[in-house]
C-alpha cells in the first residue's frame, strides 16, 4: 500500500517509515525538515494522490517552556492536523493512524483505601515546594497508590502539548464520522531509543538524561525520582504503527495505549542510563515543573487484544543500548 508518513524525518517517524518499508509499503515521506508542512494544503495535495493510508507523526512535541508556546503548539498540532484531514477527505484517503500521547490523561489513576479508584487533580505548588510530591485522594486527602490507566479514562490534559494532542484525537474522530474513514490513535507512553533528539526544552526526559551523560554531566532527576512511567522502545512503537494500519472500525476513532506494560521510576531510568554510559551517577534535585504529573502507568491490554501488538524490547537491554546509541 502507498502510505504517507508525516514527520518522516523525525525520531519516531523515521523508525515508523523504516518499519513500513520493511513490511512492503510504498512509503511517501513528508516532513517539515524537507519542505513538507502539514499546514500547507497545496503541498499535501501534491503527495496524497494514490495514497491509501496516512500515518501522522508530525507534531510539535514536549512540555514546552511557558504560555508563549501556545500559538506554535496550536498551529503545528491542531491547524496542521485539521489541514491534513481536510486534504485526506479531498483525495478519498480512508485510513489514518495518529500519533497521540499518554499526556491526554493528565495525572494517572489511583486507588484510595476509602474511596476506591480516584483521579486526583493537579498538584498544588505549595505542596511541591515542600517536597510533598505524592497526590492525595480528592475526597479525603488520604495517600493513594498508582494503578494502571486504561483508554476509557477521562482525558485531563495539563499543558499545551497535551491539550493539542487531545484536540488531534477529536479532529480525527470528526473526520472518521463525516467521511466513514478509519482512525486509530496510538497513545505513546515514554518513547526512547536510538536517534532520539538531543537536549532541548521540548525533549523527553530520556533524551535530556542521555544528553547530559554525553556531555559528562550527571542526569538531574526532578522531584524524588520515584515518579512512575512506562518506557517503551521506539522500535516497538514503529511496530505498533504497522499493526494499527490493520485495526480500527470505519466511522470511528479507536485509541490504544502503546506501552511496555512494565513501569519503572524516572530514577531507575536515569540510573540505568548512567550505568550503561559509564557515569556520572544521577543527582536527585527536588526540583519540579507544574505541568508534570506524578505517576502514570499504562494498561496495554487493549492494543494486545485488538491490534495484536505487544512490546518486545525489555527495559534493561533497551536502556543499555540507548545509553551509548547516537542521538539525533
Amino acid at each position: 500500500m502507498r502510505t504517507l508518513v508525516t514527520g518522516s524525518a523525525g525520531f519516531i517517524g523515521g523508525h515508523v517509515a523504516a518499519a513500513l518499508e520493511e513490511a512492503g509499503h510504498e512509503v511517501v515521506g513528508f516532513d517539515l525538515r524537507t519542505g513538507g508542512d502539514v499546514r500547507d494544503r497545496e503541498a499535501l495535495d501534491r503527495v496524497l494522490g494514490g495514497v491509501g493510508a496516512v500515518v501522522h507523526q508530525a507534531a510539535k512535541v514536549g512540555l514546552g517552556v511557558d504560555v508563549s508556546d501556545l500559538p506554535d503548539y496550536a498551529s503545528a498540532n491542531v491547524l496542521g492536523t485539521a489541514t491534513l484531514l481536510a486534504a485526506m477527505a479531498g483525495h478519498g484517503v480512508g485510513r489514518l493512524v495518529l500519533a497521540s500521547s499518554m499526556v491526554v490523561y493528565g495525572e494517572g489513576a489511583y486507588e484510595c483505601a476509602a474511596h476506591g479508584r480516584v483521579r486526583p487533580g493537579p498538584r498544588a505548588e505549595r505542596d511541591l515546594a515542600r517536597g510533598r510530591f505524592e497526590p492525595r485522594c480528592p475526597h479525603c486527602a488520604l495517600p493513594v497508590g498508582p494503578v494502571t490507566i486504561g483508554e476509557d479514562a477521562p482525558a485531563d490534559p495539563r499543558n499545551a502539548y497535551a491539550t493539542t494532542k487531545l484536540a488531534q484525537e477529536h479532529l480525527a474522530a470528526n473526520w472518521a464520522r463525516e467521511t466513514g474513514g478509519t482512525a486509530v490513535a496510538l497513545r505513546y507512553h515514554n518513547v526512547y531509543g536510538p536517534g532520539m533528539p538531543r537536549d532541548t526544552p521540548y525533549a523527553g526526559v530520556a533524551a535530556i538524561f542521555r544528553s547530559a551523560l554525553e556531555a559528562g554531566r550527571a542526569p538531574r532527576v526532578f522531584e524524588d525520582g520515584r515518579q512512575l512511567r512506562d518506557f517503551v522502545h521506539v522500535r516497538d512503537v514503529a511496530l505498533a504503527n504497522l499493526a494499527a494500519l490493520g485495526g480500527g472500525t470505519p466511522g470511528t476513532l479507536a485509541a490504544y495505549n502503546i506501552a511496555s506494560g512494565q513501569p519503572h521510576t524516572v530514577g531507575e531510568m536515569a540510573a540505568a542510563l548512567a550505568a550503561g554510559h559509564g557515569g556520572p551517577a544521577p543527582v536527585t534535585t527536588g526540583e519540579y515543573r507544574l505541568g508534570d504529573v506524578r505517576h502514570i502507568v499504562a494498561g496495554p491490554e487493549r492494543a494486545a487484544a485488538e491490534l495484536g501488538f505487544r512490546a518486545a524490547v525489555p527495559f534493561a537491554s533497551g536502556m543499555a543500548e540507548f545509553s551509548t546509541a547516537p542521538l539525533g
Side-chain angles (χ1 to χ4, degrees):
M1 179 166 59
R2 185 174 170 86
T3 303
L4 179 72
V5 179
T6 71
S8 58
F11 165 49
I12 297 175
H15 284 272
V16 170
L20 292 175
E21 287 180 344
E22 186 174 347
H25 287 256
E26 180 189 351
V27 173
V28 179
F30 192 83
D31 194 281
L32 190 61
R33 299 166 182 81
T34 55
D37 190 331
V38 291
R39 294 166 290 192
D40 184 340
R41 175 61 186 267
E42 291 184 358
L44 289 167
D45 286 336
R46 288 194 292 270
V47 298
L48 280 170
V51 164
V54 172
V55 180
H56 184 29
Q57 305 291 319
K60 184 177 179 68
V61 301
L63 186 63
V65 177
D66 53 39
V67 292
S68 66
D69 282 323
L70 287 172
D72 285 343
Y73 276 104
S75 178
N77 297 353
V78 182
L79 176 60
T81 299
T83 305
L84 172 65
L85 292 169
M88 288 172 62
H91 288 267
V93 182
R95 181 171 287 276
L96 172 73
V97 177
L98 170 69
S100 187
S101 172
M102 66 168 190
V103 296
V104 302
Y105 297 120
E107 193 65 65
Y110 293 82
E111 193 80 24
C112 172
H115 294 95
R117 183 69 65 97
V118 295
R119 294 290 300 282
R123 295 176 294 171
E125 185 169 12
R126 63 180 179 275
D127 289 334
L128 297 173
R130 294 170 182 169
R132 298 174 181 170
F133 302 123
E134 293 292 342
R136 292 181 172 268
C137 176
H139 307 294
C140 64
L142 287 173
V144 292
V147 293
T148 58
I149 195 163
E151 292 86 350
D152 293 331
D156 185 18
R158 302 284 177 90
N159 54 61
Y161 175 59
T163 300
T164 58
K165 295 309 285 185
L166 184 59
Q168 287 183 317
E169 289 195 15
H170 288 319
L171 289 168
N174 296 157
W175 167 85
R177 282 193 298 270
E178 294 183 26
T179 67
T182 300
V184 175
L186 303 181
R187 292 174 177 169
Y188 302 158
H189 285 251
N190 287 69
V191 185
Y192 73 97
M196 199 171 190
R198 293 179 182 276
D199 187 3
T200 77
Y202 308 96
V205 65
I208 292 171
F209 291 168
R210 177 66 179 76
S211 296
L213 289 164
E214 189 170 73
R217 303 190 308 270
R220 294 176 60 82
V221 181
F222 280 16
E223 301 187 17
D224 58 4
R226 297 192 181 100
Q227 311 93 304
L228 279 171
R229 296 290 187 271
D230 190 304
F231 300 99
V232 58
H233 197 281
V234 67
R235 289 196 296 272
D236 282 328
V237 170
L239 293 177
N241 277 268
L242 183 60
L245 283 170
T249 303
T252 66
L253 177 136
Y256 298 93
N257 286 328
I258 301 302
S260 72
Q262 300 294 324
H264 292 268
T265 69
V266 173
E268 287 172 336
M269 186 264 287
L273 289 179
H277 194 80
V283 175
T284 302
T285 69
E287 296 171 87
Y288 59 87
R289 297 187 302 183
L290 284 177
D292 281 343
V293 299
R294 179 60 174 175
H295 305 298
I296 182 159
V297 180
E301 293 81 11
R302 181 182 290 181
E306 298 183 11
L307 300 180
F309 168 75
R310 294 174 178 81
V313 179
F315 176 83
S317 59
M319 287 297 170
E321 175 200 25
F322 181 52
S323 70
T324 57
L327 297 173

